[in-house]
Amino acid sequence: MKKLLFLLCAVWTASATDAAAQRQLIDIHTDDVSLILRAAPGEEVQLLHFGGRIEDPAPLMAYESYRHPGHNTEDVAYPTFGGRNYHEAALRATHVDGDLNTELKYLSHETQRLADENVTRTTIHTTDAVQAFDVDLVYTAYARENVITTHAEIRNREKGTVILHSFYSSALPLRAEKYLLTHLHGAWTHEAQVEHTLLTHGSKSISSIRGVRTTHAENPSFMLTLGSDRFDEVSGEVVAGTLAWSGNFRLNFELDECQVLNILAGINPEGSEYRLHRGETFTTPEMIYTHSFEGAGGASRNLHDWGRNYGIWNGHTPTPTLLNSWEGAAFRFNARILTDMIDDAAAMGLEMFVLDDGWFGNKYPRNNDKAGLGDWEVNREKLPEGIDYIASYAHDKGLKFGIWIEPEMVNPKSELAEKHPDWIVRTPKREAPLTRNQLLLDLSNPEVQDFVFGVFDRTMQLSEHIDYIKWDANRCANSIGSSYQADDEQAHFWIEYTQGLYKVMERIRAKYPDVLIQACASGGGRVEYGALKYFDEVWTSDNTEALTRARIQYGTSLFYPALVMASHVSVTPNLQTGNVTPLKFRFDIACAGRMGMELQPKHMTEEERAEARRAIEAYKEYRDIVMQGDLYRIGTPYDEDGCYAIAYVAKDKRRAVVFAYSLRYQSRTVPVFRIPGLDPATQYTIREMNIDKPRYWFEGRSFNGELLERAGINPNFSRIYDSAVFLLEAGDGR
Ligand code: DGJ
């Protein structure tokens, strides 16, 4: 017996030594960020470093974690349930023979440079120690943007169906003294509120189980400030992540007894068991990470660059300025009301008119939100002239034309619901709960996918002048049940709904690559990079009130560029908050994103129209910087002093635009805004935009970037809602 034991030990030591000898580092990096893994055949893949770029990681080959194998596992690239893992698992599966354990061992890896030379992809192949079950870990590095994205491909080669209980996109262990988590929370008309939490031991998670319209309450994005309990815009080490998935998500932050923060990000496993049949591969959504030593600002700029270059359908052409009919006309319009709105929009210098909800339904006319959804024929009573008449009218006036659809939904009072009750998400024997008087269509069903594609396609055929579609989605999924899914695969609905949406969007984009499409979901319910892969922009919130909007846009800007942030000027008292703000303040807030208007221009005075014309004209002069420039946030709209500013600096640093706001009464304090991101040696001439006559001593003067960053500018703000927009251009002023 002793002999046998000795022999076994000897074999084990020999194979451990062999494995050690075959160990190699997998060095995935961008210009400034490194992700270093270590692997050997038959061993788990370890994740040694994610953070600042390490030019020569070779010495890490000898890295020792000093973890006792019985106490805690190493920091692995994709922890699984089973073996010696004590953390929440990135992957939990029940194998065909009932085995609950999965232990992924390294097989091989390869790295390829993609056709776009800026991008390299590393695929690490792993397999279970005993089951015919493989996982590929795929890391894609975007050099200039300093972004690394990651997903997993899970393959079943067993002799039957494997049940996947959890199947995250990625796991990321981080090591720091402290972890300050920053994330977004909120509600309808109150999206993207920023919250900071110093993580303590145990788990904290951010998630959604709403299926559709998932980002009102939480957003699948986070920032972590490492080693500090202070959120800093300018300096400090920050890791940021955001998940590209429009369905249920979960980001879990587990701080363990070794002070390691284990991050899991991906599809929410809650109620989402997935039966992976023999021979099938499940591909998880993409998780997008960046790292910066330039604080939150640096992390945001990386994500914005990545979004514009890779993450957004068309990240380089902004949606035009527009007038949307919703808050101005709601369901009450006819052709005359719309053409008058188009005339007014043209007169103010706007570039597009968007006809919102209410244009369809005949048997059940869409005169309120109780009927008609699903019946996408033009309402003959309201618009006997048809959509082409309105679209052509807009085009004749030099405006583009857009139209609203909500193709995933149905009112019970509709011809569609009468014809296709089987397409509705509901469980037999249970009442389907209504939200906004409507139900959800089962997009996991290919027939419904065809229908939804058809709605888009037929809407596009209503006129050759349709340039923009506002795609709305006004309810979540709940009490789910799918007549398409098998009884034992009902839980697949959660995933296949979102996959169904993407299949439809693929078809739409193949046929209509240039049409602009906005993702709206009761405002900011679809603000995430899964949707943005197909959509050009998002409707940031149904709250169009400028003061609260300052916070919504600030939160959104942590992860998403201004290019996608539709932001409209509306009436006062505001329809959502009742607040009254000056028109200039409303424009100065809206112009920091993709500006539009959403009101009945007939109700504006001549002075207000003139003011709008001035603001729109000014916006056109600098919007390229807002859309494509680097964002520097100066303070926050949460700061007690009520002083907040945003600077967008053009990539060549020759121009910048600064939006400055007073969000409370300043009394005798004159705010100072120091402007980062400029070239210290360049002379910039300052011109205040959207104003009739000069107001401040620095108007028309020129200052170098160093002075502007160190001394700043001090617009003489006093009242709440004082605001200013400054254009800084390289070249001498007075
Ligand atoms: C919700 C959207 O967020 C609004 O902008 C508007 O389109 C309404 N739906 C129309 O029903």
Side-chain angles (χ1 to χ4, degrees):
M1 183 68 188
K2 257 190 190 165
K3 240 186 186 170
L4 185 69
L5 246 172
F6 171 78
L7 217 69
L8 276 177
C9 280
V11 170
W12 181 83
T13 320
S15 61
T17 324
D18 280 359
Q22 290 179 54
R23 266 189 196 155
Q24 51 185 317
L25 290 182
I26 305 172
D27 175 8
I28 297 164
H29 61 259
T30 67
D31 289 352
D32 301 326
V33 177
S34 285
L35 190 151
I36 315 277
L37 303 125
R38 187 170 64 184
E43 288 190 352
E44 280 181 301
V45 180
Q46 296 176 4
L47 203 154
L48 302 187
H49 171 82
F50 177 73
R53 171 81 190 264
I54 295 173
E55 291 289 339
D56 176 18
L60 284 177
M61 188 70 113
Y63 170 80
E64 288 288 347
S65 73
Y66 298 116
R67 296 225 187 112
H68 188 289
H71 297 164
N72 208 293
T73 44
E74 299 292 324
D75 297 334
V76 296
Y78 200 66
T80 51
F81 184 86
R84 257 186 352 231
N85 176 32
Y86 304 119
H87 296 124
E88 180 164 344
L91 179 84
R92 183 162 81 81
T94 303
H95 297 280
V96 175
D97 60 4
D99 180 3
L100 301 176
N101 297 279
T102 304
E103 294 171 281
L104 295 177
K105 308 292 179 185
Y106 171 82
L107 286 176
S108 65
H109 75 277
E110 72 262 346
T111 298
Q112 53 176 150
R113 193 172 283 279
L114 303 192
D116 174 351
E117 296 240 312
N118 184 48
V119 189
T120 44
R121 179 159 298 151
T122 302
T123 305
I124 304 175
H125 306 283
T126 69
T127 193
D128 184 65
V130 294
Q131 305 286 0
F133 183 85
D134 313 320
V135 176
D136 287 350
L137 304 175
V138 184
Y139 298 88
T140 309
Y142 299 83
R144 284 190 295 276
E145 294 77 10
N146 290 309
V147 160
I148 296 178
T149 68
T150 168
H151 73 264
E153 295 176 11
I154 304 161
R155 202 164 36 254
N156 173 14
R157 291 183 294 105
E158 297 178 35
K159 292 204 172 81
T161 299
V162 173
I163 300 171
L164 301 180
H165 306 279
S166 46
F167 32 87
Y168 285 92
S169 295
S170 90
L172 185 68
L174 295 175
R175 275 163 291 195
E177 186 203 335
K178 290 176 188 165
Y179 306 90
L180 180 73
L181 174 68
T182 300
H183 67 105
L184 307 180
H185 76 101
W188 174 70
T189 65
H190 189 58
E191 297 88 337
Q193 306 298 300
V194 176
E195 215 159 56
H196 307 287
T197 317
L198 195 60
L199 292 176
T200 55
H201 293 91
S203 281
K204 153 96 186 163
S205 60
I206 297 168
S207 65
S208 171
I209 50 159
R210 292 166 201 243
V212 179
R213 211 181 63 165
T214 53
T215 62
H216 280 126
E218 305 277 353
N219 191 282
S221 308
F222 71 88
M223 281 196 187
L224 279 164
T225 305
L226 303 184
S228 165
D229 47 16
R230 214 172 67 86
F231 181 79
D232 195 316
E233 271 299 327
V234 181
S235 60
E237 189 171 8
V238 170
V239 168
T242 177
L243 181 74
W245 182 245
S246 310
N248 292 346
F249 62 82
R250 186 156 182 266
L251 311 181
N252 194 60
F253 303 87
E254 182 182 354
L255 183 54
D256 69 19
E257 79 262 41
C258 303
Q259 196 57 26
V260 175
L261 184 66
N262 299 277
I263 305 169
L264 295 179
I267 292 175
N268 193 340
E270 176 82 4
S272 206
E273 271 183 6
Y274 196 88
R275 292 167 56 82
L276 191 65
H277 301 292
R278 181 180 190 179
E280 283 180 354
T281 298
F282 184 84
T283 302
T284 70
E286 204 72 13
M287 181 65 194
I288 301 142
Y289 288 112
T290 190
H291 170 275
S292 169
F293 286 117
E294 287 177 24
S300 295
R301 286 187 290 279
N302 290 349
L303 290 176
H304 295 174
D305 282 342
W306 179 85
R308 282 185 295 240
N309 293 338
Y310 298 100
I312 300 164
W313 173 255
N314 185 350
H316 290 280
T317 312
T319 298
T321 57
L322 60 86
L323 175 67
N324 175 294
S325 67
W326 178 243
E327 289 199 17
F331 296 104
R332 299 171 302 276
F333 54 80
N334 56 28
R336 182 62 202 274
I337 290 176
L338 300 182
T339 52
D340 281 357
M341 286 178 110
I342 291 170
D343 287 340
D344 289 333
M348 287 188 288
L350 293 168
E351 299 156 311
M352 181 156 73
F353 177 72
V354 178
L355 172 56
D356 210 282
D357 199 352
W359 59 267
F360 49 90
N362 285 300
K363 182 174 173 192
Y364 300 104
R366 180 75 170 168
N367 291 329
N368 50 48
D369 62 19
K370 294 191 177 68
L373 207 52
D375 302 346
W376 298 101
E377 293 86 38
V378 184
N379 179 285
R380 286 185 294 271
E381 220 165 280
K382 276 189 214 174
L383 296 174
E385 306 85 347
I387 293 297
D388 185 52
Y389 172 77
I390 312 290
S392 302
Y393 190 91
H395 271 232
D396 287 347
K397 294 281 167 177
L399 266 67
K400 291 184 186 301
F401 178 77
I403 192 164
W404 179 97
I405 54 173
E406 194 183 357
E408 298 155 83
M409 309 283 169
V410 61
N411 282 128
K413 224 169 149 190
S414 68
E415 291 181 74
L416 180 68
E418 288 169 353
K419 203 164 150 208
H420 285 295
D422 53 318
W423 284 1
I424 293 171
V425 176
R426 56 155 65 112
T427 313
K429 299 190 220 147
R430 291 184 199 277
E431 205 183 316
L434 290 174
T435 306
R436 206 196 191 209
N437 307 303
Q438 66 195 55
L439 295 163
L440 185 65
L441 294 177
D442 178 6
L443 212 45
S444 76
N445 179 343
E447 273 182 35
V448 177
Q449 292 164 21
D450 286 345
F451 169 79
V452 171
F453 172 77
V455 171
F456 191 101
D457 202 27
R458 279 193 305 280
T459 304
M460 288 301 296
Q461 311 312 319
L462 292 173
S463 166
E464 58 175 315
H465 299 312
I466 295 181
D467 306 289
Y468 173 98
I469 296 278
K470 174 173 173 178
W471 179 304
D472 207 344
N474 284 300
R475 63 161 290 160
C476 305
N478 55 27
S479 192
I480 63 132
S482 162
S483 61
Y484 173 73
Q485 301 291 344
D487 285 354
D488 59 352
E489 293 187 351
Q490 285 291 306
H492 285 209
F493 166 83
W494 293 117
I495 291 164
E496 291 184 20
Y497 184 98
T498 303
Q499 289 173 338
L501 175 69
Y502 294 162
K503 281 183 194 157
V504 172
M505 293 314 297
E506 293 284 344
R507 285 167 72 184
I508 288 173
R509 280 319 193 178
K511 187 160 178 188
Y512 301 104
D514 298 326
V515 70
L516 296 159
I517 316 179
Q518 181 188 75
C520 167
S522 311
R526 256 187 191 153
V527 181
E528 39 79 24
Y529 280 110
L532 284 169
K533 199 169 157 201
Y534 304 102
F535 290 83
D536 297 83
E537 63 168 21
V538 296
W539 180 221
T540 326
S541 176
D542 270 350
N543 184 343
T544 53
E545 188 270 311
L547 178 66
T548 37
R549 193 83 186 191
R551 287 190 178 181
I552 294 171
Q553 293 183 187
Y554 166 79
T556 307
S557 84
L558 293 185
F559 307 101
Y560 308 96
L563 174 93
V564 304
M565 228 169 16
S567 190
H568 297 175
V569 172
S570 62
V571 293
T572 55
N574 181 268
L575 300 183
Q576 288 81 29
T577 69
N579 199 17
V580 176
T581 53
L583 187 57
K584 175 167 164 53
F585 181 73
R586 279 177 269 157
F587 267 105
D588 288 353
I589 290 281
C591 287
R594 195 280 288 143
M595 183 267 278
M597 293 180 78
E598 188 153 340
L599 41 67
Q600 170 51 277
K602 284 270 161 300
H603 300 152
M604 295 169 77
T605 63
E606 257 325 300
E607 292 73 47
E608 286 173 333
R609 283 159 182 263
E611 207 179 319
R613 256 194 311 278
R614 186 185 67 196
I616 293 162
E617 199 183 312
Y619 179 70
K620 289 176 185 166
E621 206 179 321
Y622 60 72
R623 76 170 144 194
D624 60 309
I625 320 175
V626 175
M627 297 300 165
Q628 300 297 328
D630 287 329
L631 168 68
Y632 292 84
R633 290 174 292 257
I634 305 165
T636 88
Y638 293 85
D639 293 351
E640 281 208 356
D641 65 2
C643 302
Y644 172 52
I646 314 163
Y648 294 99
V649 180
K651 289 283 176 195
D652 64 3
K653 295 194 186 286
R654 303 288 296 164
R655 292 159 75 229
V657 57
V658 179
F659 296 86
Y661 310 108
S662 166
L663 303 182
R664 61 149 229 211
Y665 172 54
Q666 297 294 332
S667 180
R668 292 189 183 162
T669 311
V670 176
V672 174
F673 298 102
R674 299 194 170 89
I675 307 160
L678 302 171
D679 175 49
T682 298
Q683 289 285 126
Y684 296 92
T685 303
I686 303 186
R687 183 155 52 103
E688 186 178 2
M689 308 297 284
N690 188 20
I691 205 79
D692 286 332
K693 44 182 190 302
R695 296 196 293 175
Y696 307 117
W697 69 271
F698 44 85
E699 172 73 28
R701 294 179 194 273
S702 101
F703 308 89
N704 67 25
E706 181 191 70
L707 184 142
L708 289 168
E709 173 154 18
R710 296 189 178 168
I713 52 174
N714 63 339
N716 190 16
F717 290 169
S718 161
R719 298 184 162 184
I720 183 167
Y721 310 135
D722 276 350
S723 64
V725 183
F726 302 106
L727 184 61
L728 278 55
E729 290 171 298
D732 282 341
R734 269 183 287 150

